[in-house]
Amino acid sequence: MRVRDIIAKFESRDPHAIRKATWVILRSNDRDAFEELREHVPRLRAILASVDMGGMVRKNADDTELAFRYVEDTCRGVCRCRLYEGQNFFNPETEAGYGFVHVLKSEVMRDLHEQHFLVQCDGCSRMLKVREVHGWHVPWYEWMDA
């Protein structure tokens, strides 16, 4: 993750570029880059407040605020797995692909239209259960302690 690229995307005030920068942050676990980025977060928040980020089902600005909190939490020593609490869009298989968690077990619950996962955080070894619900247009996820 290149901090200057993240800052440039925010300074562009282009919602699409900011959204891309948001997901670069959310897909990173680069503590050194986060330390560098943290000092810029207040200014980036001010930029975010002046840009209509859009979003129909979810407000894109909420994702960006989550990314800011993730940077701040990581700099305080909070493990990445805390990022999943209260969020419904982090797919455990995708997170495993990025090397953030390991999927230890997966079970399809056809009668519930769900898939259940047991995952372990690669950062702190915390065990989490994840419920993937398929009953809507897009799946959503519920993360909880195992």
Side-chain angles (χ1 to χ4, degrees):
M1 183 178 96
R2 294 170 42 139
V3 173
R4 70 174 179 237
D5 292 343
I6 298 295
I7 293 168
K9 283 180 172 47
F10 275 87
E11 288 175 339
S12 76
R13 290 178 162 58
D14 172 18
H16 181 70
I18 292 172
R19 195 166 50 253
K20 286 178 84 171
T22 295
W23 282 96
V24 168
I25 294 168
L26 290 172
R27 291 291 175 231
S28 178
N29 209 18
D30 185 339
R31 286 170 169 57
D32 293 335
F34 285 3
E35 283 292 340
E36 184 182 344
L37 185 60
R38 178 173 57 170
E39 69 186 63
H40 299 279
V41 167
R43 187 167 59 84
L44 301 182
R45 272 194 173 111
I47 291 170
L48 178 65
S50 71
V51 176
D52 179 3
M53 292 294 294
M56 291 182 69
V57 176
R58 303 178 40 86
K59 292 181 179 179
N60 293 320
D62 291 348
D63 295 343
T64 305
E65 182 55 40
L66 178 65
F68 292 153
R69 286 194 317 264
Y70 173 46
V71 168
E72 293 166 338
D73 286 350
T74 299
C75 292
R76 286 194 304 268
V78 176
C79 186
R80 178 186 173 81
C81 64
R82 297 290 175 202
L83 177 66
Y84 307 131
E85 294 175 359
Q87 303 304 318
N88 63 4
F89 58 89
F90 286 107
N91 179 329
E93 293 172 312
T94 301
E95 295 300 294
Y98 282 108
F100 301 135
V101 299
H102 273 81
V103 174
L104 303 174
K105 181 179 164 187
S106 171
E107 182 180 3
V108 174
M109 314 296 278
R110 292 201 190 284
D111 56 329
L112 299 174
H113 304 285
E114 297 179 358
Q115 186 166 358
H116 295 184
F117 298 88
L118 177 64
V119 302
Q120 184 173 27
C121 175
D122 282 353
C124 69
S125 300
R126 178 182 176 197
M127 301 295 282
L128 298 151
K129 291 187 293 187
V130 184
R131 193 174 135 232
E132 178 183 74
V133 179
H134 294 272
W136 302 93
H137 293 289
V138 295
W140 60 268
Y141 306 88
E142 180 182 33
W143 292 72
M144 63 204 96
D145 283 315

